[in-house]
Amino acid sequence: MQNVYLAIVLAPLVGAIIAGLFGRFITRSVAHWVTILGVAVSTVLSFWVFKHHVMDGAPAYNEAVYTWLVSDGVRFEVGFLVDNLTAMMMAVVTFVSLMVHVYTIGYMHDDPGYKRFFSYISLFTFSMLMLVMANNFFQLFFGWEAVGLVSYLLIGFWYTRPTAIHANLKAFLVNRVGDFGFLLGIAAVLMYFNSVDYADVFAAAPSMAGLTIEVIPGVEWQVMTLIALLLFVGAMGKSAQVPLHVWLPDSMEGPTPISALIHAATMVTAGIFMVARMSPIYELSEVALAVVLIIGAITAFFMGLLGLVQHDIKRVVAYSTLSQLGYMTAALGASAYAAGVFHLMTHAFFKALLFLAAGSVIIAMHHEQDMRRMGGLKRYMPITWATMLVGSLALIGFPGFAGFFSKDAIIEAVHYSSIPGAGLAYWALLAGVFITALYTFRMFFLVFHGQERMDHHTREHLHECPSVVTVPLIALAVPSVVIGGIYVGPMLFGDFFADAIHVLPGHDTLAELGHHYHGVWSFVVHGLQGPAVWLALLGVASAWYLYMQRPDLPARIAERLRPLHAVLEHKYGFDEFNQAAFGGGARGLGRLLWKVGDVRLIDGLLVNGVARSVGWMAGRFRHVQSGFLYHYAFAMMLGLLGLFILFVL
C-alpha cells in the first residue's frame, strides 16, 4: 500500500515539475496533459483507497516512509496516516482538483502564463495531499506552509496587476499571523509530549488533561487548552475565521480556477480538517471548544451579511465560502466533528461548481464580473444556468440536495450542544440560512434572469462556453445533488469516522440526533418540520421579489438603512483597522527605528561618528608635522625633559 500512497502524492508533483521547470522546452498541450494525467492518476488511486478503507473496511494505515531527522530521541519523519477521514479528503481533493485542471484548459486558453499556472495548481494538489495524509505534526506543518506558499503564487498569478500583488501579500501576511500561533502549538506539543507523532500524542493526551501552565505569572492555564487554542489560531488563518478572514475575499484577484480550488478543496479546508484530526486534544478542553464554536458562529452570520452588498459575482461566492466555513467551524466547536467534515465534503463539490459556473459567466461576458451589467443569461447559457441553479440550491440547503443534509445536521447539532455559547451560535446559524438564500438567489436572478443589462457588443457575442468548461460543471453538479443523501447516514450516525474522530460521551450531540434518524427520507421530512428549510425558502422568495418584481426596492432600502449599508460596504472596518493598527503602525514603527536606530545610532554615531572623530583627531595632530627642524628639536627637548622629571624626580 505504501507504493500506492506514494504514487498518489508524487504524481501531481511530477506533473508540476515537468510543466514548471521544463516549460520552455514543452508545448502548452504537453504542459496541461502531463499535469492532468498526474492528478488523474491520484484521483483514480484515491478512489481505490476510498473503496479499500471505507467500503471494504480495511484497517487504518499508519507507517513512516522516511526519517528526516532524529534529535534528542525525537523522530521527524515523513509518513502516512490513511483512515476513513483521510481517504474521504483524498478523494475530494483529487476529484475537485482534476475538474479544475480540465476546466483551466478553457479558462486560461489565451493566457501567456498557461504552463506556469498548470504547474502551480498541480503543486497545490501535491501540498494538500501531503497535509491530509500526514501522520505527524512535522509533515502537517510542511503541507500547511506549502499550501500557503502556492496560494501566494496563485493569488498573485497576474503579477502585473497592483491589486493582485496587494492581495497575495495580504494573504501571505495574515496567514503568517495564524501560522505563528500554529507553530507555537506544535512547539508546545513537542515540549510536553516529546513527540510529534499523532498516535503518540493522542495516546498520551488524556494523562495531560489536568496539567497546567502559567502563561501569565499568577494565571494558570490548562496545557491542553493552550495547545488547542494555539492550533486553532492557525486554523483561523487558513480557514479564514474572524478576525483572520480578511485575506480570503481578496484572493479573487487570482484566476477563477484557483479561486475554486482554494475555496472548495484545498487551503481553506485545511483548518477544518486539522481541528477534526485533533479531536482527541480538543475534547479535553471545553474552553477551546467554546471559543471555536463562538468564532464559527460569528463568522457564519456576519460574513454572510457582507454577501448582500457585493456586486462582483466572484466576491459573492467568496463571502459565501467565509460563511460556510463558519458553519463547519461551529460544528467542530459543538463536538460534531463528523457534521463539520461532512459539510466540508458536500461544500467542496457545490462551491467548486459555483465558482466554475461564475467563471463560465465571466468568460462569456468577456471578463466582466459586475452583476449589474449582466442579466438574462439563461437563454444564452442554458448549461451554465442549470448547473449554477444546482449549486445554488445545494448551498442554501434545499431539501434533497447535498448541502441540505450537512447544514441541517450542523444546526441541529449546535442546538443540542451543551458547550457554552451554543444557544447564541444556534440563532446565528439559523439567521445565516435566510441570509445565505437571499444573497445566493440575488446573484442567480441578477445574472440569469430579468433585464439584459450588458452592452450591445457583449450581447451579440454571448454563447455557451465550450465543453471543456461545461463538462466539469456537469461532473460537479452530480455529487452536489446526490452525495449528501448517500453518506448522511454512515458519516453522521454510523461508524464512518469511528477510528478517526474521538468524541467524549458528554459532548456527542450527533449520537443524540442519531436516535431520531430513520433514513434519508425521514431526515428530509424532519427538515421540513424545522425552521431552516422555511427560512431558506423565505430567502429565495425575498430575493425574487426584491430583484425580479421590485428592482427599485433594494436601492431604497439601502438609502433608508444608509449607516448599516455603509458598515457592510466597508466590511465592518477590518481593512481600515488593520491598515491603521498594523499597516500604518508597523510602517510608523519602522520609520522610527530607521531614524533613531539606523540614521542616528548606527550611521550617525557608530559609522559616521567614528569617521568624524578620527578626522577631527587627525586634523589636530597633523599640525605637529610642520616640516621645520627646530620644531622637531624642540619637541625632542620637551620629551627628554619629561622623561627626566618622571624618572629622577
Side-chain angles (χ1 to χ4, degrees):
M1 289 299 294
Q2 186 178 103
N3 291 334
V4 173
Y5 301 138
L6 283 171
I8 291 171
V9 169
L10 296 179
L13 178 62
V14 171
I17 291 172
I18 294 173
L21 298 184
F22 303 100
R24 67 177 62 182
F25 307 112
I26 61 177
T27 63
R28 290 159 64 96
S29 61
V30 171
H32 72 236
W33 279 116
V34 73
T35 51
I36 289 174
L37 182 61
V39 176
V41 168
S42 291
T43 304
V44 172
L45 292 178
S46 294
F47 280 129
W48 183 83
V49 168
F50 185 86
K51 176 183 179 299
H52 179 68
H53 285 281
V54 176
M55 299 179 181
D56 298 342
Y61 176 92
N62 185 13
E63 297 290 342
V65 175
Y66 172 74
T67 300
W68 181 71
L69 174 70
V70 179
S71 176
D72 196 24
V74 179
R75 303 179 69 86
F76 296 89
E77 299 173 328
V78 176
F80 298 135
L81 169 59
V82 182
D83 52 17
N84 285 8
L85 175 60
T86 308
M88 182 274 291
M89 288 296 296
M90 290 163 62
V92 170
V93 169
T94 54
F95 177 74
V96 172
S97 179
L98 179 61
M99 294 301 102
V100 170
H101 274 70
V102 174
Y103 177 93
T104 300
I105 297 174
Y107 192 88
M108 301 293 288
H109 182 265
D110 298 322
D111 197 281
Y114 188 83
K115 290 178 277 189
R116 178 166 55 95
F117 189 81
F118 272 99
S119 175
Y120 286 171
I121 59 176
S122 194
L123 186 61
F124 209 173
T125 307
F126 158 76
S127 303
M128 190 64 185
L129 287 171
M130 285 292 286
L131 189 155
V132 301
M133 294 174 68
N135 71 344
N136 61 82
F137 287 90
F138 166 70
Q139 185 176 330
L140 173 70
F141 188 70
F142 167 80
W144 196 267
E145 293 303 307
V147 294
L149 170 63
V150 183
S151 70
Y152 169 82
L153 297 173
L154 284 163
I155 294 169
F157 181 79
W158 287 319
Y159 53 81
T160 56
R161 299 181 181 179
T163 52
I165 297 303
H166 178 270
N168 73 346
L169 185 60
K170 187 176 184 179
F172 192 81
L173 292 177
V174 171
N175 273 278
R176 295 295 70 74
V177 175
D179 293 352
F180 178 67
F182 188 62
L183 191 57
L184 287 178
I186 294 176
V189 168
L190 180 59
M191 176 180 176
Y192 283 97
F193 293 92
N194 199 39
S195 175
V196 291
D197 186 83
Y198 289 166
D200 296 341
V201 173
F202 295 162
S207 63
M208 299 283 188
L211 198 62
T212 59
I213 182 176
E214 288 191 4
V215 180
I216 303 171
V219 180
E220 289 192 343
W221 283 58
Q222 281 192 334
V223 168
M224 300 312 296
T225 297
L226 179 64
I227 291 174
L229 289 177
L230 287 172
L231 292 175
F232 182 62
V233 171
M236 288 170 66
K238 278 288 181 290
S239 294
Q241 297 297 290
V242 173
L244 300 183
H245 67 283
V246 292
W247 68 271
L248 191 58
D250 288 352
S251 69
M252 297 302 97
E253 290 297 331
T256 298
I258 193 51
S259 299
L261 201 54
I262 288 177
H263 286 245
T266 53
M267 187 162 167
V268 297
T269 62
I272 307 300
F273 167 80
M274 184 273 293
V275 174
R277 175 61 79 195
M278 302 300 150
S279 60
I281 293 176
Y282 281 88
E283 283 300 288
L284 299 174
S285 173
E286 194 164 277
V287 172
L289 288 175
V291 170
V292 173
L293 174 61
I294 292 170
I295 291 291
I298 289 172
T299 304
F301 178 72
F302 287 101
M303 294 303 105
L305 285 175
L306 296 183
L308 295 172
V309 298
Q310 300 302 311
H311 302 298
D312 185 317
I313 184 173
K314 285 174 64 178
R315 285 185 177 267
V316 174
V317 186
Y319 279 107
S320 163
T321 300
L322 281 169
S323 182
Q324 298 308 304
L325 288 168
Y327 276 89
M328 298 175 209
T329 303
L332 300 175
S335 290
Y337 305 97
V341 173
F342 183 44
H343 194 51
L344 182 157
M345 180 188 73
T346 61
H347 175 264
F349 295 115
F350 63 72
K351 186 50 59 68
L353 171 59
L354 287 171
F355 264 113
L356 297 187
S360 178
V361 170
I362 293 168
I363 294 171
M365 293 292 299
H366 303 290
H367 294 276
E368 174 62 64
Q369 297 181 196
D370 193 329
M371 297 185 299
R372 292 171 295 185
R373 297 173 185 169
M374 299 180 188
L377 293 184
K378 176 186 175 182
R379 71 189 187 97
Y380 301 102
M381 309 179 70
I383 298 176
T384 302
W385 171 83
T387 52
M388 179 73 95
L389 178 60
V390 169
S392 299
L393 292 172
L395 172 60
I396 70 169
F398 190 81
F401 285 74
F404 163 77
F405 296 99
S406 53
K407 185 182 287 187
D408 210 59
I410 290 174
I411 294 171
E412 289 299 310
V414 171
H415 192 202
Y416 278 95
S417 176
S418 60
I419 299 294
L424 177 64
Y426 171 72
W427 289 109
L429 298 182
L430 208 54
V433 173
F434 171 78
I435 295 167
T436 300
L438 181 56
Y439 67 67
T440 301
F441 275 85
R442 167 182 175 263
M443 173 187 68
F444 184 78
F445 291 137
L446 285 176
V447 172
F448 291 102
H449 295 274
Q451 182 182 357
E452 297 178 1
R453 297 177 297 276
M454 69 288 292
D455 60 69
H456 179 70
H457 174 76
T458 303
R459 185 184 296 111
E460 281 189 338
H461 293 85
L462 273 174
H463 59 83
E464 185 62 87
C465 288
S467 58
V468 74
V469 170
T470 56
V471 167
L473 298 182
I474 296 169
L476 287 165
V478 174
S480 297
V481 177
V482 304
I483 199 74
I486 293 173
Y487 284 105
V488 60
M491 284 193 177
L492 296 186
F493 311 116
D495 58 355
F496 191 99
F497 297 122
D499 298 325
I501 292 174
H502 173 71
V503 183
L504 295 178
H507 293 165
D508 200 351
T509 56
L510 288 179
E512 180 68 23
L513 288 177
H515 296 319
H516 309 287
Y517 178 74
H518 303 292
V520 174
W521 178 245
S522 69
F523 193 100
V524 174
V525 172
H526 181 268
L528 291 172
Q529 296 171 354
V533 170
W534 299 106
L535 283 171
L537 294 177
L538 179 62
V540 175
S542 300
W544 175 79
Y545 181 74
L546 289 171
Y547 296 98
M548 297 298 296
Q549 298 300 112
R550 293 290 304 276
D552 60 304
L553 274 183
R556 291 167 58 185
I557 294 172
E559 183 64 28
R560 184 69 63 87
L561 302 176
R562 178 175 289 275
L564 176 60
H565 192 265
V567 169
L568 295 179
E569 281 193 323
H570 286 87
K571 309 166 196 172
Y572 307 115
F574 276 103
D575 285 338
E576 289 83 355
F577 174 79
N578 290 333
Q579 182 69 19
F582 300 106
R587 286 197 298 270
L589 179 61
R591 283 193 294 268
L592 177 65
L593 293 175
W594 171 64
K595 289 181 179 179
V596 175
D598 190 41
V599 176
R600 296 186 181 179
L601 179 62
I602 297 175
D603 286 345
L605 184 60
L606 298 180
V607 179
N608 298 329
V610 170
R612 281 193 293 267
S613 298
V614 170
W616 180 84
M617 293 176 64
R620 298 298 178 271
F621 278 109
R622 75 181 189 61
H623 294 296
V624 178
Q625 306 293 331
S626 65
F628 294 105
L629 186 60
Y630 64 87
H631 284 174
Y632 299 147
F634 182 70
M636 291 172 67
M637 291 173 62
L638 288 177
L640 289 171
L641 180 62
L643 290 173
F644 177 77
I645 293 172
L646 178 65
F647 289 106
V648 175
L649 300 181

